[in-house]
Amino acid sequence: DIQMTQSPSSLSASVGDRVTITCRASQSISGNLNWYQQKPGKAPQLVIYDVSSLHSGVPSRFSGSGSGTGFTLTIRTLQPEDFATYYCQQSYNSPWTFGQGTRVEVK
Amino acid sequence: QLQLQESGPGPVKSSETLSLTCIVSGSSLNVGNYYWGWIRQTPGKGLEWIGTIYYTGSTNYNPSLKRRVSISLDPSKNQFSLRLSSVTATDTAVYYCASLGVATITIDNWGPGTLVTVSS
């Protein structure tokens, strides 16, 4: 199985901050990397697919980059509704696997 | 708009079979642009993909669960189901049904999730 490792596990930030989350794969996954946002008590929701494509309805302050084994999710100007947990997921090889999550908390 | 909703009988006893159904609205199961799947979430292991089924009936299961899992379609009711046999406490989780885009294997739509507790 491809192991996905996110860093940091959690971070504290303020509204207006720029936030960057990193995801590393245990082997190359080409451009098959997706990001999800999860709020407490809710199902995850797709944010970015194929490294950098914004899912429908997702604000443009979210962006993704990377290739091979290293990827980043950036939130350009953090908004109150962005405090949540973010997960990366590889769709290169079955079984599809997820990172352990990065919790973005209020500073 | 595609919507999914999990349903199930509630708590399950250890060694028994967990059964869940996902009711799909806003799309027919008989379309080729989605896989239909199950994902679970625990505090310890995080998000874990269980398996998927295509409208043809073709399945793909996580090898870690393959011996115990079965996913099936019921197109007449526009729903699909999960069965997980010989459950233990480690199968206690929030179970989500979902649709996955065939082209990108992205989980485009999720059900709200249902907590299944395995008790002894």
Side-chain angles (χ1 to χ4, degrees):
Chain A
D1 298 5
I2 297 175
Q3 307 303 316
M4 307 299 293
T5 304
Q6 289 181 234
S7 60
S9 297
S10 65
L11 63 91
S12 298
S14 300
V15 172
D17 284 354
R18 179 186 180 94
V19 167
T20 299
I21 299 168
T22 297
C23 176
R24 295 208 173 274
S26 60
Q27 67 181 72
S28 176
I29 58 171
S30 188
N32 302 117
L33 190 282
N34 310 307
W35 291 96
Y36 300 87
Q37 177 194 70
Q38 186 177 33
K39 296 183 179 179
K42 301 291 187 182
Q45 298 296 315
L46 180 65
V47 177
I48 285 176
Y49 64 96
D50 288 352
V51 178
S52 60
S53 296
L54 231 54
H55 184 54
S56 175
V58 173
S60 59
R61 61 181 179 272
F62 288 88
S63 64
S65 64
S67 66
T69 61
F71 304 88
T72 59
L73 171 70
T74 299
I75 309 172
R76 189 175 66 244
T77 308
L78 197 66
Q79 296 299 302
E81 59 268 29
D82 300 336
F83 292 100
T85 301
Y86 293 85
Y87 296 92
C88 60
Q89 174 240 337
Q90 65 84 16
S91 50
Y92 181 76
N93 255 352
S94 175
W96 325 120
T97 48
F98 296 84
Q100 81 282 12
T102 295
R103 185 176 177 185
V104 178
E105 303 174 314
V106 177
K107 193 170 186 178
Chain B
Q1 183 179 349
L2 179 60
Q3 291 185 313
L4 305 102
Q5 177 68 56
E6 305 88 357
S7 66
V12 183
K13 290 189 175 180
S14 184
S15 80
E16 294 186 344
T17 296
L18 178 161
S19 296
L20 294 173
T21 296
C22 183
I23 300 168
V24 178
S25 59
S27 175
S28 168
L29 287 185
N30 290 326
V31 293
N33 52 333
Y34 289 120
Y35 294 112
W36 307 100
W38 293 92
I39 297 126
R40 68 182 183 180
Q41 186 172 30
T42 61
K45 290 189 71 175
L47 289 162
E48 181 179 31
W49 170 73
I50 298 170
T52 51
I53 189 165
Y54 197 43
Y55 79 102
T56 57
S58 174
T59 54
N60 184 14
Y61 299 134
N62 192 323
S64 68
L65 299 168
K66 190 172 185 176
R67 291 184 300 107
R68 301 192 290 130
V69 71
S70 175
I71 298 175
S72 59
L73 291 172
D74 187 345
S76 67
K77 296 181 181 178
N78 217 46
Q79 63 188 35
F80 60 101
S81 298
L82 169 71
R83 288 173 58 85
L84 183 65
S85 64
S86 305
V87 297
T88 68
T90 59
D91 294 309
T92 295
V94 175
Y95 285 77
Y96 297 99
C97 63
S99 65
L100 291 78
V102 168
T104 57
I105 316 297
T106 53
I107 309 165
D108 304 275
N109 296 281
W110 300 67
T114 186
L115 174 62
V116 178
T117 302
V118 178
S119 62
S120 54

